[in-house]
Amino acid sequence: MENNFTIEEISFLNKLLSTVSPSGFEVECAEAIYTFLQGSCNLDYDVIGNLYAYSGERILENGIMLTSHIDEVGFQVTRITDKGMVYVRRLGGLDRQSMPGTKLMVAGKNRNLIGVFGKTSPHVQKESEKAQVIEQDNLWVDFGFGNKAEALSHIDIGDFIGVAPNSQFTMNNRSIISKGLDNKISAFILSVIIKRIASYSCFPQNITFVFTVQEEIGCRGAIVATNRLNPREAICLDVGIATDIPSMNGQTSLSDFTLHGGPGLCIAPDNNLHFVKKLEKIAVDYGITHQLSTGFRPTGGTETSKIQIEGKGVSTAHISIPNRYMHSAVEMCSIDDAFNTVRLLISYISNV
């Protein structure tokens, strides 16, 4: 196995991070994955938009499911004023403190439209207002339209909007900074795994990879996929809150979880302990850098919380990629952690 990502794989990561895929409009991200994987495996969509990748003639039930959600936190147009300003509602929990000044892009056919979250300048705010977290109703999106008619010639009520692409590698190339690393970094990892195991001719027919939709608004795609596949085991790949930042010093309610520390194996009620320990043993046996984590709360917040209790129950494990500044306009993840996650899951698949 290579000891690093290939040029083709990194190019795909950049392509993935350039997509705008807010919850409910994941088509750009799904199409990028479909194009990358085409010819390596069979691919199929369901009615909600989940993308399935598998190796046999058909998708098998009662097997193993690996998921990564492909939606990102974003917005949807709700109102346009006479002056051409656009108001939106949130799809998922983008940090309101990071919203003012954020550059935005309309998803789909109008993705050439670039706007910015506007607010009242601090120069004319009251002192009491400067210290407050700004409310959603006091933010608008400014695309530079002169009036409502001009706005409506380019944008419609209900259009989806995301943070504009902004990815770049850090100077040492060990980390990547971008919007939407939650959860495009995981979609990248699963896509690389699929390509590699296909080239190694070790893609078991009882494993189905699912790129799920609408996680940020209730793990809706994962619920549909679980009911379709009825898996006996499921691994969910997502980002987790990195705690190696100054403001987390002394935080005792979260376990230590650091960039470059390897993928996190989550020990929490949402995950079946024997399954997590099986993954931990594989990591130890293969010398793969990893870390144990408790997640940011005992239950909820990831797809395992829904998958585990669907049907008669599913044995679940959650693998998380450390992510700094989650749900902001600029997140950070480690390329080393991404590669070690590829190693871990390929090692797991080779032992199925």
Side-chain angles (χ1 to χ4, degrees):
M1 184 188 299
E2 301 93 335
N3 60 9
N4 216 326
F5 290 115
T6 67
I7 294 174
E8 179 195 16
E9 289 165 348
I10 292 298
S11 176
F12 169 64
L13 174 59
N14 285 320
K15 170 66 176 176
L16 210 56
L17 292 172
S18 75
T19 64
V20 180
S21 57
S23 302
F25 195 90
E26 297 89 353
V27 61
E28 277 189 29
C29 191
E31 287 178 349
I33 295 167
Y34 193 104
T35 300
F36 180 71
L37 294 178
Q38 202 165 19
S40 299
C41 59
N42 292 316
L43 297 161
D44 184 32
Y45 288 100
D46 64 22
V47 69
I48 198 173
N50 293 322
L51 176 61
Y52 299 78
Y54 54 100
S55 66
E57 293 183 3
R58 61 185 180 86
I59 295 175
L60 297 180
E61 294 187 4
N62 302 309
I64 300 167
M65 178 174 74
L66 282 79
T67 72
S68 164
H69 75 86
I70 58 174
D71 59 318
E72 60 186 294
V73 291
F75 307 91
Q76 189 176 24
V77 175
T78 56
R79 188 165 67 90
I80 301 172
T81 71
D82 291 341
K83 299 292 186 180
M85 298 299 180
V86 176
Y87 283 85
V88 296
R89 65 183 177 190
R90 289 195 297 171
L91 298 170
L94 188 72
D95 184 358
R96 282 184 297 165
Q97 292 178 307
S98 73
M99 287 165 61
T102 294
K103 189 189 294 184
L104 302 169
M105 176 180 282
V106 178
K109 67 183 188 310
N110 291 327
R111 64 172 284 137
N112 59 317
L113 283 176
I114 298 291
V116 62
F117 263 125
K119 72 173 187 67
T120 305
S121 168
H123 300 79
V124 292
Q125 283 182 322
K126 298 176 182 178
E127 287 301 318
S128 59
E129 293 175 324
K130 294 179 182 180
Q132 295 174 355
V133 176
I134 194 163
E135 296 295 330
Q136 176 81 41
D137 289 345
N138 294 325
L139 288 169
W140 55 87
V141 184
D142 188 348
F143 289 97
F145 300 132
N147 53 56
K148 188 172 186 177
E150 184 184 2
L152 286 171
S153 69
H154 295 283
I155 195 168
D156 296 318
I157 299 297
D159 276 354
F160 293 85
I161 293 176
V163 176
N166 56 10
S167 64
Q168 68 178 69
F169 286 89
T170 55
M171 187 174 64
N172 59 11
N173 288 321
R174 291 191 68 197
S175 297
I176 189 162
I177 301 168
S178 177
K179 65 93 181 181
L181 285 167
D182 178 9
N183 190 37
K184 296 178 194 294
I185 191 69
S186 299
F188 164 70
I189 290 166
L190 284 195
S191 299
V192 168
I193 290 168
I194 293 166
K195 271 255 191 175
R196 291 192 178 200
I197 63 175
S199 69
Y200 304 154
S201 300
C202 64
F203 194 152
Q205 292 191 17
N206 66 336
I207 290 184
T208 303
F209 295 82
V210 191
F211 299 92
T212 56
V213 299
Q214 300 186 33
E215 188 269 353
E216 298 290 358
I217 54 174
C219 302
R220 292 158 56 84
I223 294 170
V224 172
T226 305
N227 280 284
R228 177 178 181 178
L229 298 179
N230 188 28
R232 69 173 187 271
E233 289 185 344
I235 298 176
C236 298
L237 189 60
D238 204 339
V239 292
I241 298 171
T243 61
D244 55 346
I245 57 175
S247 61
M248 298 296 289
N249 288 342
Q251 172 65 260
T252 58
S253 63
L254 297 176
S255 55
D256 290 336
F257 194 48
T258 65
L259 255 67
H260 314 302
L265 304 179
C266 188
I267 300 175
D270 286 344
N271 305 288
N272 293 66
L273 187 58
H274 70 90
F275 196 2
V276 178
K277 289 298 181 181
K278 180 167 70 173
L279 291 172
E280 183 185 13
K281 185 177 187 305
I282 290 171
V284 171
D285 290 347
Y286 284 83
I288 299 168
T289 302
H290 64 285
Q291 50 193 320
L292 297 180
S293 167
T294 58
F296 74 101
R297 62 188 185 196
T299 182
T302 71
E303 292 181 329
T304 56
S305 65
K306 304 294 185 181
I307 293 170
Q308 186 188 49
I309 57 176
E310 282 296 311
K312 295 181 180 179
V314 181
S315 178
T316 54
H318 181 74
I319 298 177
S320 53
I321 313 304
N323 182 324
R324 292 178 183 163
Y325 324 119
M326 194 188 303
H327 282 203
S328 75
V330 189
E331 303 173 339
M332 181 185 289
C333 287
S334 162
I335 294 300
D336 297 339
D337 293 339
F339 186 71
N340 277 312
T341 307
V342 170
R343 292 182 60 210
L344 174 60
L345 285 173
I346 289 180
S347 299
Y348 162 76
I349 289 167
S350 69
N351 282 276
V352 169

